[in-house]
Amino acid sequence: MTVEINLRRESIAVMAEGGMSPQKDTPAPSKVNLVCRYFIHGVCTKGSDCRYIHDRSGSVPSDNICKFYLSNKCTYGENCRYQHVKREESRRSTQPVKSISNSTSVQSQPRERLRVSSDSRQSQMVTLSKKGLDHSIEQSQKKKAQDLKWAQAKAFVPGQKYNGACPSSYAAAIGGNDSDVTPQRASQEYASWNERESESSSELYNLTSHSVATKTGGLPLALATADTPLCPFFANDIPFCDETCKHLHGDICDMCGMPKLHPLNAQKKEEHTRECLERHEREMKEAFALQASEKKECEICLENVLQQKSRRQTNTDRRFGILENCNHCFCLSCIKKWRGNKDSSIEMQKFCPTCRTHSDFVTPSKYWVETSEEKAKLIKDYKEMLKSKPCRFFKKGKGECPFDRKCFYLHALADGTVVERNQVKRRRRTNAEGRQEVMDENSNLWSFINRRNMNFDRNEFLSDLLDDVVEDVISNVNELTRNGFRCHCWSCTQNLALDVENALSTLEVFPPR
Amino acid sequence: MANIAEQRIKREFKEVVRSDEVAACNIKVELVNDNFTELRGEIGGPPDTAYEGGKFKLEINIPETYPFNPPQVKFVTKIWHPNISSVTGAICLDILKDQWAAAMTLRTVLLSLQALLAAAEPDDPQDAVVAQQYKENNAIFQRTARHWTTAYAGGPNTDTELEEKITSMKNMGFDEHKARVALSTKDWDVTRAAEYLIS
């Protein structure tokens, strides 16, 4: 610990010098015998003009390693400003750098927060990871052997304790998971570490050598209470945390293999176990669903739905379009296209392209659903989800939705009140040809005439129109007389309700039949 | 050509058209050009029908919107059938029109055509003359159809009586195909056929 503090002081001194000097107005002397700290971090803008040494050999500062790379999450890839080296490599590369002296003339000694270089092992600073240093070659060989053994990894059986992926102890983990790390040996290491740790950091923690930390690194249990939060880095296997960590480290959970169990708080422990179980169940379900969907081919494009090449770059890619009433498999984009095909009749569009079963709607799904229960659930969930989305026809009450009550989307006014009743009332009637006709009750005469104009011959149209006009007039007149009105424009008739035909005769536009 | 149509035709070629089942049913499809828009098909006449033993060539055009719209299919080989025009080869089959479904493939289309040869629909005719003969004088229809199969599709059954009638018409100076059409239309009555051709 003391060495580390010294190290820091030195490097700060080095940095202060290195960082300030370029701004001085001194004529550019020959190279200063220091490594450019900007260069080390990859941001030196001076290039070859820089007075400081641009040489990275053997000195990768530990804080220049990409933290995200270490946890395999770096999204920058090769463009990352930080170095993509594993700690093992960087440590190895720091080994040749000689000695730490107390003078300030140390050159290019990187700030090693996490590990001290090999020579400093003579100091009191003892780390568990030294084992890894000494046996780096041996370890790499072992690693190779392990890589070969991956196929013989222990299989995971749901409901049984799984130790295949996670080391049984921290010692096993740092020892490369090899079997030669016996619990005895591990505990010896812990003991020695505890001893030295307590010596060196007693001024910080005032620990007695008898306080036994059952976890490697982290806060000893004796100092923790049920409310002590767990170290989030250790729990999530983020390599920020090492044996110098001063936070509480949890027990390893059998389900997820992560040290996430709170050693003292039974409630939290239980909570995590439940969460783990739930997640596991969810993952299993997903895996089964994926397996069931993997080999499904769309019956329209004949391609495997999940492996489909993204030809349209839309969100309908690689999803299934589930039809309500039959069990044929289509990809969402194909079935949508089929149902939107202008060249086929409305009835054909609603049919399944394979079996011609009528389905009113298509449900998008990430996975194929085989059983009817699954399908019912999927459709129910889908409808529930749509209920929260505002209908684009209804437009918060400003528009009219052609689907009315059958619409899956939310019909809510601007103030948020949900409209339950349909806005548009429809009337069904049989027309002269004996066909069923649907009319909007509040449609006006002109829209009706316009519709009719499209496809009727004139005589038929006129007689139909007259029928409708008479009907219209009767209803209007009835309405008026009911309300006690006398209509002035129909002056020739004494009683409007009785003699509408007569009334019509006065109109030039609509001569009576 | 739309990507999806081309992809699908390619797949149909690989998985469907070249299967054993297809070979057993006497169905063939081949490409005419590289862009998969024009194809040539061939179906064998179904057994126990007038078309038995014949090989009927088809012209298949794949629209850009395939498989959402049906392929355009017509007979290249002349055929005597109520639902197929004896002049143009146009086919009257619902699945090639408004009853098309996107899950249908070239294979199902060709099998449907084969089925159509085996079971004609005289009430929904393409060729009214043939349909009338089919309904009113089925024996002559069968004979005519068999004769056409032999003459144009390489069928094995030669009907010497009908051949002789055609030869006599040819001797009168008529073109062979025109003579055959006229004779078939007029129920193989040489006088009426000659009158029909002259008028």
Side-chain angles (χ1 to χ4, degrees), chain A residues 297 299-304 309 311-312 330 333-334 337-338 341 343 348 352-354 356, chain B residues 2-4 7-8 11-12 15-16 65 67-69 95 98-105:
Chain A
E297 279 181 359
E299 291 183 31
I300 295 180
C301 62
L302 305 178
E303 278 179 61
N304 187 312
K309 276 175 224 146
R311 53 174 178 255
R312 283 169 289 255
F330 305 102
S333 49
C334 280
K337 210 170 169 191
W338 168 251
N341 190 0
D343 295 337
M348 277 306 289
C352 162
T354 307
R356 295 184 202 263
Chain B
N3 197 8
I4 179 167
Q7 288 291 335
R8 206 181 115 147
R11 275 175 181 271
E12 284 186 36
E15 295 169 7
V16 186
T65 48
F68 300 101
N69 289 87
I95 62 149
D98 56 341
Q99 293 296 304
W100 169 255
M104 289 175 177
T105 59

Side-chain angles (χ1 to χ4, degrees), chain A residues 1-6 124-125 197 200-201 203-204 244 246:
Chain A
M1 194 55 66
T2 41
V3 177
E4 192 185 344
I5 291 163
N6 277 341
Q124 290 301 302
M125 186 73 179
E197 174 77 343
S200 58
S201 60
E203 69 275 15
L204 283 172
T244 62
K246 299 293 177 276

Side-chain angles (χ1 to χ4, degrees), chain B residues 148-162:
Chain B
W148 277 56
T149 307
T150 312
Y152 298 110
N157 311 304
T158 8
D159 195 326
T160 39
E161 191 193 333
L162 303 187

Side-chain angles (χ1 to χ4, degrees), chain B residues 111-140:
Chain B
L111 289 175
S112 303
L113 285 174
Q114 233 175 8
L116 182 74
L117 293 189
E121 268 304 332
D123 293 325
D124 186 18
Q126 175 77 26
D127 197 315
V129 179
V130 186
Q132 201 185 354
Q133 192 183 61
Y134 182 93
K135 278 165 110 177
E136 290 168 5
N137 208 339
N138 200 277
I140 288 202

Side-chain angles (χ1 to χ4, degrees), chain B residues 57-134:
Chain B
K57 288 200 161 41
L58 298 154
E59 188 186 292
I60 306 169
N61 277 309
I62 306 292
E64 260 188 42
T65 48
Y66 185 82
F68 300 101
N69 289 87
Q72 292 150 10
V73 188
K74 69 176 198 175
F75 273 82
V76 177
T77 311
K78 301 266 179 241
I79 185 169
W80 194 250
H81 189 279
N83 302 106
I84 299 155
S85 167
S86 57
V87 185
T88 60
I91 305 163
C92 179
L93 184 61
D94 56 356
I95 62 149
L96 292 177
K97 288 168 183 160
D98 56 341
Q99 293 296 304
W100 169 255
M104 289 175 177
T105 59
L106 290 176
R107 175 179 150 263
T108 55
V109 166
L110 295 183
L111 289 175
S112 303
L113 285 174
Q114 233 175 8
L116 182 74
L117 293 189
E121 268 304 332
D123 293 325
D124 186 18
Q126 175 77 26
D127 197 315
V129 179
V130 186
Q132 201 185 354
Q133 192 183 61
Y134 182 93

Side-chain angles (χ1 to χ4, degrees), chain A residues 370-387:
Chain A
E370 195 65 58
T371 62
S372 51
E373 298 92 62
E374 278 174 339
K375 191 146 125 181
K377 188 180 175 294
L378 176 82
I379 291 175
K380 192 172 145 265
D381 289 352
Y382 177 61
K383 282 185 176 173
E384 282 299 316
M385 192 267 290
L386 290 187
K387 255 183 207 165

